[in-house]
Amino acid sequence: MFRIGFGTDIHRLVAGRTLVIGGVVIDSDLGADGHSDADVLLHAATDAVLGALALGDIGTHFPNTDERWRNAESSEFLLYAVGLAKERGYEVVNIDTTINLELPKLRPYIDEIRTGLANALRIDIGQVSVKAKTGEAVDAVGERRAIQAQAVVLLEDIEPRDR
Ligand SMILES: [Zn+2]
């Protein structure tokens, strides 16, 4: 038994915030604005895992009106979602993601980001794909007003049970 999940996220880019992607601090003059650490990749991945389980979205589980999550590390959200999957007998087979960011170029960070995402999901780096694209200088991403991410995750039921 397999289940597939999809997640997407967007954050505004502003001055005076640290840019964190997949738990990795990126050298950038602009950072993602948000209630938590605003890690767009981990938020998309969390939504993908919750989506695969049909358990709502990140806002359902971690409302941004809740002071507990102010400046929270987003790896907490993803670990929680993976915990819900484990409770139900599922483990992550693989995850494929894309980050949309105009600057800086993420190529030098990709393996570190893959490692960060793999650690948050408790899987091996070989199960984690992270791709990066620019916005071709158009729209919110291209004009450096936003960062976006998409994630697709596959879960497999690994719990042996009578059928
Ligand atoms: Zn987010």
Side-chain angles (χ1 to χ4, degrees):
M1 171 82 168
F2 292 93
R3 297 186 71 113
I4 193 167
F6 172 71
T8 181
D9 194 31
I10 183 167
H11 283 264
R12 289 191 308 124
L13 288 175
V14 294
R17 288 272 303 186
T18 304
L19 183 59
V20 183
I21 305 176
V24 177
V25 174
I26 308 295
D27 188 16
S28 170
D29 55 334
L30 302 177
D33 199 15
H35 188 66
S36 63
D37 64 8
D39 192 321
V40 71
L41 181 64
L42 296 190
H43 292 181
T46 302
D47 257 6
V49 173
L50 292 172
L53 299 166
L55 286 176
D57 61 25
I58 195 167
T60 320
H61 295 270
F62 308 100
N64 62 12
T65 50
D66 191 332
E67 283 303 311
R68 266 184 305 170
W69 311 118
R70 181 174 292 281
N71 298 320
E73 281 190 29
S74 296
S75 56
E76 281 184 57
F77 304 153
L78 190 48
L79 279 173
Y80 177 84
V82 170
L84 291 177
K86 286 216 158 75
E87 278 171 28
R88 287 158 178 77
Y90 288 95
E91 74 176 23
V92 177
V93 178
N94 73 306
I95 184 166
D96 184 21
T97 67
T98 299
I99 303 158
N100 305 108
L101 181 68
E102 193 68 10
L103 286 170
K105 288 276 182 287
L106 292 178
R107 191 170 300 271
Y109 296 99
I110 288 290
D111 279 343
E112 210 184 331
I113 293 171
R114 285 176 71 205
T115 303
L117 187 52
N119 289 342
L121 283 161
R122 300 284 193 262
I123 57 178
D124 293 330
I125 190 171
Q127 295 165 276
V128 176
S129 161
V130 175
K131 309 184 296 299
K133 298 179 83 72
T134 72
E136 295 289 338
V138 294
D139 287 338
V141 169
E143 292 164 7
R144 303 198 70 204
R145 290 185 283 118
I147 180 171
Q148 282 183 300
Q150 299 87 35
V152 176
V153 71
L154 190 67
L155 305 184
E156 183 174 17
D157 185 350
I158 49 145
E159 207 96 301
R161 60 178 65 138
D162 297 330
R163 297 194 191 270

